[in-house]
Amino acid sequence: MVGLHSPPTTTGDAPEMEQVIREYNSDSRNLEDVHSYGAAPLPRVSDSPVPHVLPLSTLIGLVTSPGGPTKILIPQREDAIRLFACYVEHVDALQHVIHVPSVRERFELLYDNFEKPQPELVDGGLLALLLAVLGHTAGFWALGSSHGSLFDSRPDALALSTYWLRCTLDSLEHVWRVEESSMEALQAQILTMFLLYHTEGLSSRARRLMATALSDAKDLGLHMTDSPHRKAPENTQAEIIDAEMRRRVWWHIVSTAWSAALWGGPHDGVYTVQPSHMQVKKPRNVTDEDLMIMPADFSRPADEPTSTTYYLQRIILAEICREVADVMLEIRAVQDPRQIPYSRILTLDGKFAEILNGPLASGMVTAEDDGPVYNPRRPHLRQQYFTYLTTEARRCKLHLPYLLRLQQDSQYIVSRNICLQSARNILRLKHILPSEVSDESSGSVKMIGLMHHFCCAIVILAMDLCVNKSAGGDHERKAEIRAACRILEDARDGSRAAGLFLDSLTTIFRKHKVRVQCDQPPNGVAVSEFPVEHKLHQTTADQRGRFGVGLFPADYMGDSENGGLAEPGFDTMWQGYLDLGEEPQAWDALFNDIELGVP
């Protein structure tokens, strides 16, 4: 392969060590694939795409009752308007793929039709978009803030969110079967994938929606929006809005596809859209209101924040992710990152640093050690924090192979410092939820898309302690890791994915006979920041096969009543992890492809 050179020979490169690396690499793949198997069944609600309009209180009662409704139900106009307003205020900026004034007008017309004595045939794509917006808004109140909620409780909001998610999938399925592709149906797919990702992880359902959205976008010709041979005129405001929305939607889909190349799972390292396959200008830095009155060539200054600023940063980040994915594939091909010129890694890191030091940092509160913390006084910057977390996590993945080889080459101290700084910056933002109004005292993170970032940070801190023990301060570093792990521990009761990730880690440690020892600080008093007893979540036969549950001898775990599988306390399990006595290279394959992503 061009540009590769043989790594220096060390005692760690013996054939025996390569076998250890291959074994850990297999475990790493199993671990990072956990989030791909977290989907629960979402059965069809109704065979009819025609919705029924009910008061919200009646709708909540039906949805939360045993069995639930078998028809598509939507709230009355007044409640729908309030739910849409919440979506625009709190959620839209995170997937800014609709033109709010136009969609609001379309929804009003949709309700005008519902209120006719004989309603006309419903546009399936527009109905799917309405249902997706309703599901997102209920999910916002279920997963984040309950402030100003139209629901009596978070469980009610979660039940409505799940119900409307199922209705959206039903409506989309109807569109795919009997209608042509439409922009509204495409927007509904993007919103649905976003909600799925944050409720069940990067499941096969989410991946299928992403692939279908890409296919539908090409069916609509979005990838050739600005082609000289296919470009539509932009003379009227309606034409200007249409062209700009085509750009927004296309770039959202392709940016997600490039970013997904670093998400882990079965599609890790793969993307299907090359820049040469598209002729689409990037979205302009404009507001939705600008599109209604300004000419087609108008754009605000790059340093002026708008609702599109986050999207432009997201595109830049996705382009870097595409380059990193190419390098990571090269690293895997040679099974030794030292064969890749380190200068290439530092060049890519410079691009990450440019994002972190650019407009993304505007308005972020700075802690005493120059790390970011959440600023609740500026909630409209929430999308910046999401991008910040993703950038730091991607940066960790780029440097991870070199952090693990610091003992072999001192120049990799740069990668270690960057990994630790990025991991700690991620953990400082553990209170980021879909709202600035949240129960920050609990530190609970319910959105699975965010949990992946915190998993990355936890792994970085733990690995550094294992392979770079000479850095000192072991007790403080272990306490830092235990405190970070509590983010997932607090979330496991309400999150199948968080529990599955923790259980998978436990199983991997058992497989490799992690030594479980009690942590004793210098004063001899044991410190535990976690509950002592935690029962593993039940796993399916397929998951037991993938993660080796039930394959360990009873004399190792010493629990004959549980088939040889004792269930250690979470704090104890992590302490055993920190005392794992393997060579540094053994950790490389276990974690170098750990799942890191957010759409």
Side-chain angles (χ1 to χ4, degrees):
M1 187 174 294
V2 178
L4 301 182
H5 56 83
S6 298
T9 301
T10 68
T11 57
D13 290 330
E16 299 81 20
M17 183 54 62
E18 291 302 320
Q19 177 60 36
V20 173
I21 290 177
R22 283 192 292 272
E23 185 174 354
Y24 273 88
N25 185 60
S26 175
D27 293 333
S28 173
R29 293 293 184 181
N30 289 339
L31 185 59
E32 69 171 336
D33 289 351
V34 170
H35 68 285
S36 301
Y37 301 90
L42 288 176
R44 290 180 58 83
V45 173
S46 171
D47 291 328
S48 172
V50 179
H52 297 262
V53 181
L54 295 174
L56 185 59
S57 57
T58 303
L59 199 157
I60 293 173
L62 290 173
V63 170
T64 56
S65 63
T70 58
K71 301 180 183 298
I72 295 178
L73 307 177
I74 59 175
Q76 293 177 322
R77 185 194 299 258
E78 299 76 20
D79 289 328
I81 291 174
R82 294 172 63 189
L83 290 166
F84 181 66
C86 175
Y87 173 87
V88 172
E89 181 179 359
H90 297 289
V91 186
D92 175 66
L94 298 177
Q95 68 269 306
H96 192 47
V97 294
I98 67 171
H99 182 247
V100 172
S102 299
V103 170
R104 183 185 292 112
E105 182 179 353
R106 294 292 306 278
F107 285 169
E108 291 281 4
L109 293 175
L110 190 63
Y111 271 92
D112 287 343
N113 179 51
F114 293 152
E115 294 169 0
K116 292 179 179 178
Q118 295 295 328
E120 299 174 2
L121 186 65
V122 175
D123 182 332
L126 184 59
L127 175 60
L129 181 56
L130 172 62
L131 291 166
V133 167
L134 296 175
H136 265 68
T137 307
F140 165 76
W141 278 318
L143 300 176
S145 173
S146 59
H147 179 72
S149 175
L150 297 181
F151 309 107
D152 293 334
S153 65
R154 289 183 188 271
D156 284 355
L158 183 59
L160 262 294
S161 180
T162 303
Y163 168 74
W164 279 324
L165 172 60
R166 293 169 54 201
C167 290
T168 304
L169 292 174
D170 286 356
S171 185
L172 286 173
E173 185 176 343
H174 174 79
V175 172
W176 294 328
R177 291 199 313 265
V178 302
E179 297 184 17
E180 296 291 331
S181 299
S182 67
M183 181 65 75
E184 290 80 9
L186 188 56
Q187 292 165 326
Q189 291 175 60
I190 292 173
L191 269 59
T192 303
M193 196 197 81
F194 183 86
L195 182 57
L196 281 172
Y197 178 71
H198 284 293
T199 54
E200 66 182 30
L202 190 61
S203 63
S204 60
R205 187 158 36 226
R207 296 193 302 270
R208 188 177 299 113
L209 267 176
M210 183 168 64
T212 303
L214 178 59
S215 177
D216 287 354
K218 288 186 287 188
D219 288 345
L220 293 172
L222 268 59
H223 62 305
M224 302 298 287
T225 295
D226 293 300
S227 168
H229 304 289
R230 299 175 62 177
K231 182 174 175 60
E234 296 183 57
N235 298 323
T236 67
Q237 296 306 135
E239 292 171 342
I240 291 173
I241 292 172
D242 179 70
E244 192 65 15
M245 291 313 303
R246 290 169 66 89
R247 296 183 187 109
R248 272 193 208 171
V249 169
W250 173 258
W251 276 103
H252 178 95
I253 293 172
V254 75
S255 296
T256 301
W258 290 343
S259 183
L262 296 180
W263 284 357
H267 297 189
D268 192 41
V270 178
Y271 54 89
T272 58
V273 180
Q274 295 286 347
S276 59
H277 296 169
M278 46 190 269
Q279 296 182 28
V280 190
K281 296 177 182 178
K282 291 180 180 178
R284 293 178 283 137
N285 188 33
V286 294
T287 66
D288 283 357
E289 291 70 27
D290 290 335
L291 292 177
M292 302 179 70
I293 58 176
M294 303 303 291
D297 59 352
F298 172 79
S299 183
R300 295 181 181 272
D303 59 353
E304 181 177 342
T306 69
S307 55
T308 312
T309 302
Y310 159 73
Y311 250 54
L312 299 177
Q313 290 294 316
R314 186 179 187 272
I315 292 171
I316 295 173
L317 174 59
E319 291 174 324
I320 300 172
C321 288
R322 189 187 69 236
E323 297 183 58
V324 173
D326 292 339
V327 171
M328 298 304 289
L329 282 178
E330 292 184 41
I331 290 176
R332 292 172 191 164
V334 298
Q335 295 187 347
D336 192 329
R338 290 172 294 164
Q339 292 181 263
I340 305 297
Y342 192 49
S343 59
R344 292 180 61 188
I345 305 302
L346 296 181
T347 298
L348 287 172
D349 179 76
K351 296 182 179 183
F352 283 131
E354 188 174 352
I355 290 182
L356 294 170
N357 296 327
L360 189 63
S362 176
M364 299 184 84
V365 175
T366 301
E368 293 181 359
D369 57 355
D370 295 327
V373 295
Y374 183 48
N375 184 356
R377 292 186 296 275
R378 303 191 68 179
H380 61 286
L381 298 178
R382 187 181 304 110
Q383 60 268 37
Q384 290 185 221
Y385 290 89
F386 274 71
T387 307
Y388 186 95
L389 286 169
T390 304
T391 305
E392 293 284 28
R394 299 293 188 268
R395 203 180 190 192
C396 285
K397 186 160 188 174
L398 173 65
H399 285 281
L400 180 55
Y402 302 93
L403 176 150
L404 296 170
R405 286 170 171 78
L406 176 59
Q407 303 304 320
Q408 298 172 340
D409 193 331
S410 61
Q411 70 172 324
Y412 298 156
I413 187 66
V414 176
S415 289
R416 176 182 185 258
N417 291 339
I418 290 173
C419 276
L420 292 179
Q421 179 184 4
S422 294
R424 286 163 178 158
N425 286 344
I426 289 172
L427 293 172
R428 288 189 185 95
L429 296 178
K430 66 180 180 180
H431 297 304
I432 296 299
L433 292 170
S435 171
E436 71 281 8
V437 184
S438 59
D439 183 10
E440 298 193 358
S441 62
S442 69
S444 178
V445 177
K446 302 180 181 66
M447 297 179 70
I448 293 174
L450 295 182
M451 288 182 200
H452 291 162
H453 298 318
F454 299 118
C455 290
C456 163
I458 292 167
V459 167
I460 291 295
L461 295 178
M463 276 191 301
D464 180 68
L465 181 62
C466 292
V467 303
N468 297 312
K469 295 181 179 179
S470 61
D474 284 7
H475 175 67
E476 292 76 12
R477 294 160 74 190
K478 290 178 182 180
E480 179 182 36
I481 293 167
R482 288 196 301 271
C485 290
R486 184 155 193 167
I487 296 173
L488 297 183
E489 182 64 14
D490 288 344
R492 70 179 300 162
D493 288 340
S495 169
R496 184 171 182 265
L500 189 57
F501 184 86
L502 291 174
D503 295 346
S504 300
L505 277 176
T506 304
T507 304
I508 293 295
F509 300 152
R510 288 173 175 169
K511 176 182 176 182
H512 293 280
K513 298 184 179 180
V514 173
R515 294 194 302 271
V516 178
Q517 300 177 6
C518 180
D519 186 29
Q520 295 289 340
N523 61 7
V525 179
V527 177
S528 176
E529 300 187 23
F530 297 91
V532 175
E533 296 183 358
H534 291 285
K535 296 297 183 181
L536 293 177
H537 287 202
Q538 293 183 347
T539 54
T540 65
D542 178 67
Q543 291 161 351
R544 287 195 294 271
R546 290 179 61 81
F547 297 107
V549 176
L551 300 181
F552 309 106
D555 58 352
Y556 165 54
M557 298 307 294
D559 183 3
S560 58
E561 294 182 358
N562 193 30
L565 291 179
E567 301 196 1
F570 190 68
D571 188 45
T572 306
M573 183 272 286
W574 267 104
Q575 180 54 41
Y577 166 42
L578 301 180
D579 290 330
L580 183 63
E582 296 284 355
E583 292 293 329
Q585 291 88 345
W587 292 99
D588 177 38
L590 179 57
F591 292 111
N592 70 0
D593 297 319
I594 193 73
E595 145 56 27
L596 304 176
V598 78

